[in-house]
Amino acid sequence: MKLLAFLLCTLAAFGQKNYPKDFRLPLDIPMQLSGNFGELRPNHFHAGFDFKTNQREGLNVYAVFDGYVSRIKISTYGYGKAIYITHPNGFTTVYGHLQRAVGTIEDKIKEAQYKEESYEVELFLKPGELVVKKGDIIALSGNTGGSEGPHLHFEFRETATEKIVNPFFFGYDQFIKDTKKPIVTSLMVYPLDAESVANRSQRPINLGLSLQKDGTFISEKVQARGKIGFGINAYDLDDASYNANGTYKTSLISNGKTLFNYQFDEMSFEEGRFINAMIDYNRYKKLKSRVQKLFMKQPFAWSNVDLNVDNGVIAVAPNYTQTNKIEVSDVNGNTTSINIPIEYSNQAAVIPSEEKITKFSVKAARDFVFEKDNFSVTFPSGTFYEDVYLNLDVRNETLFLHEDIVPAHSSFTISYDAKDIPENKREKSFLASFNGTKWNYITTKRKENTFTAYSKSLGQFKLVSDFIAPKITIAKSIEGKWISEQKTITLTISDDFSGIKTYKGYLNGKWILFEYESKLKRLTHHFTDGLVAEGENKLKVIVTDNVGNSTTFETAFFRSQKNK
């Protein structure tokens, strides 16, 4: 009940807030979204807007309001090159996947990179250091970091709390027309325990939907007994973007009372992984379909949800006859309604449950330790969202931790005792996970004979070794050539196993900046950095993988700086 009261207060507070609306667009092209706030993504909810940039890089990115650059983060993953601007009205805006910053902001980044001798840097700036005005060009749009195509990631945060806020609340609804209702592609009913049956099935099943004259839908009748829950697969459209984006609000209603509701006004980064509890994770991993559950078998403290005392679970007992309703809305109030007739039935199941009882029953609220052969695994309390049965085993020196169809909220520990492995092999060893086609490096720590790693995904794990050094190539040799017309030097780097950990470039014995685009496996040095000498230059690049194998690339070239 305390959890319920907290969630109700939190949601009520959202509706009482007045957000400033005098922000401009961060781009000077019409607003089109390829991603919206709260959209379902792998292991997280999307934290802002993804603005389309006409499939191009290099568009001007503008400060949306007065403020100062408070943070800059340059990374090979995540938001890539990102700028944070703190505004005097209590909010901070974030601009991600940038190609580069401009002006004094870019100068500040380059200064830090050369000082730290690292492409990846993070700066926290004070008010007054880098002041910007509404409409100032701060950067050019790009495709850096975890971006899968050119676009601008943009978000609002409460400066004091770091909570992420839906950008539509800041007046951005005026820039995009939306008259379209959300689309529900499927409705599912879930029998929730060993005694429950729905339409003669103990497994989750799809329910047919029929469109009514008034624009609502009605589902096929649910004949059930015991505890059941519902889930939907849904997306939203607007009039301009034509992308399947996330919905804003979804409610399960019975007799005018809300049994389960979630909506995306604000979010906390710490709660992003709750997406794996909110969706049918098993179905997602097997079919790549995200069904959003409207119930919790065991409640978890996700602040975006409002639920009744039964956590959205419906108990169908004799004489139960009722029509429940699901409403799916976008932030503009366009709503799709589904009526679900439910009645009690004592018919036996003809489709049995898929749940398999194993000898390893893991309670969500307790620690659990599994040990076999050289492996030891610890699941701390809170690792899983609900109690689960797991298949755990070690065969042929491989650790089998069930399948990645059960979501883990937090990390669990895997340890391996390598006392029987020779030292020369241990030096190049690490714990790896299997993705179905190959073994992948997991960050591994070693203390004497013991290798330890942390994971948030179940699956197969093994101690493996890597003795192969990374590769460094250049598309067209520059050895002994004059390259006065070139603006950059570009190299391709790769590693077939443990992965690249570090790369360092030196020009005439001095460290130089190489920007790393991991998606393209590309290192790029820009001659505009001004470190190239007149005439002959000697270049050295050293790339090292995660277990210490390294490769050195060396070449010499000539360049004239005259008229440059």
Side-chain angles (χ1 to χ4, degrees), residues 360 362-370 376-384 388 390-392 399-402 408 410-414 455-459 461:
F360 298 108
V362 180
K363 304 297 183 183
R366 299 180 186 173
D367 294 348
F368 183 89
V369 177
F370 169 74
S376 174
V377 182
T378 301
F379 298 113
S381 63
T383 298
F384 301 105
V388 291
L390 298 180
N391 282 311
L392 309 175
L399 172 65
F400 292 83
L401 297 182
H402 204 70
S410 54
S411 297
F412 55 88
T413 306
I414 302 169
S455 178
K456 290 183 179 179
S457 299
L458 299 175
F461 301 86

Side-chain angles (χ1 to χ4, degrees), residues 16-67:
Q16 298 170 359
K17 291 187 177 180
N18 293 316
Y19 297 96
K21 301 184 186 299
D22 44 0
F23 296 91
R24 61 155 288 161
L25 286 171
L27 300 169
D28 53 13
I29 59 174
M31 176 174 159
Q32 288 188 300
L33 299 180
S34 59
N36 66 350
F37 188 77
E39 187 173 295
L40 310 183
R41 298 286 179 88
N43 297 316
H44 70 286
F45 301 100
H46 191 235
F49 283 171
D50 282 346
F51 284 99
K52 293 187 177 183
T53 57
N54 297 331
Q55 299 180 336
R56 296 193 295 124
E57 297 186 41
L59 301 186
N60 289 339
V61 177
Y62 300 88
V64 297
F65 197 69
D66 297 350

Side-chain angles (χ1 to χ4, degrees), residues 392-433:
L392 309 175
D393 201 1
V394 176
R395 302 190 304 271
N396 299 322
E397 299 184 347
T398 300
L399 172 65
F400 292 83
L401 297 182
H402 204 70
E403 301 175 67
D404 186 19
I405 57 174
V406 175
H409 184 71
S410 54
S411 297
F412 55 88
T413 306
I414 302 169
S415 295
Y416 183 88
D417 186 350
K419 61 181 181 298
D420 299 325
I421 296 177
E423 177 62 28
N424 64 337
K425 190 174 181 180
R426 284 186 219 163
E427 291 177 352
K428 303 296 182 182
S429 296
F430 60 94
L431 284 164
S433 63

Side-chain angles (χ1 to χ4, degrees), residues 184-188 206-207 209 231-234 283 289 291 338:
V184 177
T185 59
S186 64
L187 169 67
M188 298 192 68
N206 276 297
L207 298 172
L209 298 175
I232 61 165
N233 194 320
R283 187 178 184 85
S289 171
V291 173
I338 303 171

Side-chain angles (χ1 to χ4, degrees), residues 269-297:
F269 279 108
E270 291 75 17
E271 294 181 356
R273 200 168 175 86
F274 280 133
I275 187 174
N276 291 334
M278 176 251 214
I279 65 172
D280 182 339
Y281 190 80
N282 184 332
R283 187 178 184 85
Y284 168 62
K285 283 296 181 176
K286 291 179 177 178
L287 301 176
K288 300 304 176 186
S289 171
R290 291 189 179 98
V291 173
Q292 305 159 49
K293 297 186 296 186
L294 301 177
F295 62 89
M296 296 178 181
K297 291 180 72 173

Side-chain angles (χ1 to χ4, degrees), residues 132-339:
V132 295
K133 293 291 184 181
K134 179 179 179 179
D136 284 352
I137 300 173
I138 60 169
L140 300 179
S141 67
N143 185 31
T144 56
S147 171
E148 295 180 355
H151 72 280
L152 174 68
H153 176 83
F154 176 73
E155 63 186 60
F156 278 90
R157 300 183 186 182
E158 287 185 346
T159 303
T161 66
E162 281 285 302
K163 278 191 175 180
I164 330 149
V165 186
N166 195 325
F168 272 126
F169 296 163
F170 297 88
Y172 285 85
D173 54 338
Q174 68 180 299
F175 297 115
I176 193 164
K177 186 178 180 181
D178 183 1
T179 61
K180 297 182 178 181
K181 296 181 180 180
I183 306 295
V184 177
T185 59
S186 64
L187 169 67
M188 298 192 68
V189 59
Y190 287 79
L192 296 180
D193 60 28
E195 307 303 319
S196 300
V197 179
N199 291 4
R200 308 199 71 178
S201 174
Q202 291 187 302
R203 300 181 188 180
I205 57 170
N206 276 297
L207 298 172
L209 298 175
S210 299
L211 179 63
Q212 306 300 292
K213 291 181 179 179
D214 63 358
T216 65
F217 290 84
I218 187 168
S219 79
E220 67 176 282
K221 183 181 289 186
V222 177
Q223 296 181 308
R225 71 168 186 264
K227 295 179 179 180
I228 62 171
F230 291 96
I232 61 165
N233 194 320
Y235 63 89
D236 189 36
L237 298 171
D238 59 53
D239 295 6
S241 305
Y242 307 105
N243 277 74
N245 293 325
T247 58
Y248 166 65
K249 179 180 178 180
T250 301
S251 303
L252 174 63
I253 302 164
S254 178
N255 289 330
K257 295 181 179 180
T258 299
L259 307 183
F260 196 95
N261 174 83
Y262 56 82
Q263 65 190 64
F264 293 101
D265 296 311
E266 298 180 350
M267 291 191 297
S268 168
F269 279 108
E270 291 75 17
E271 294 181 356
R273 200 168 175 86
F274 280 133
I275 187 174
N276 291 334
M278 176 251 214
I279 65 172
D280 182 339
Y281 190 80
N282 184 332
R283 187 178 184 85
Y284 168 62
K285 283 296 181 176
K286 291 179 177 178
L287 301 176
K288 300 304 176 186
S289 171
R290 291 189 179 98
V291 173
Q292 305 159 49
K293 297 186 296 186
L294 301 177
F295 62 89
M296 296 178 181
K297 291 180 72 173
Q298 293 176 223
F300 49 89
W302 178 35
S303 59
N304 288 79
V305 74
D306 169 20
L307 62 165
N308 71 343
V309 293
D310 295 315
N311 308 315
V313 175
I314 299 169
V316 183
N319 301 319
Y320 185 104
T321 301
Q322 197 164 289
T323 297
N324 290 354
K325 180 189 290 187
I326 292 176
E327 292 184 342
V328 186
S329 305
D330 63 26
V331 76
N332 293 293
N334 301 306
T335 301
T336 297
S337 297
I338 303 171
N339 292 301

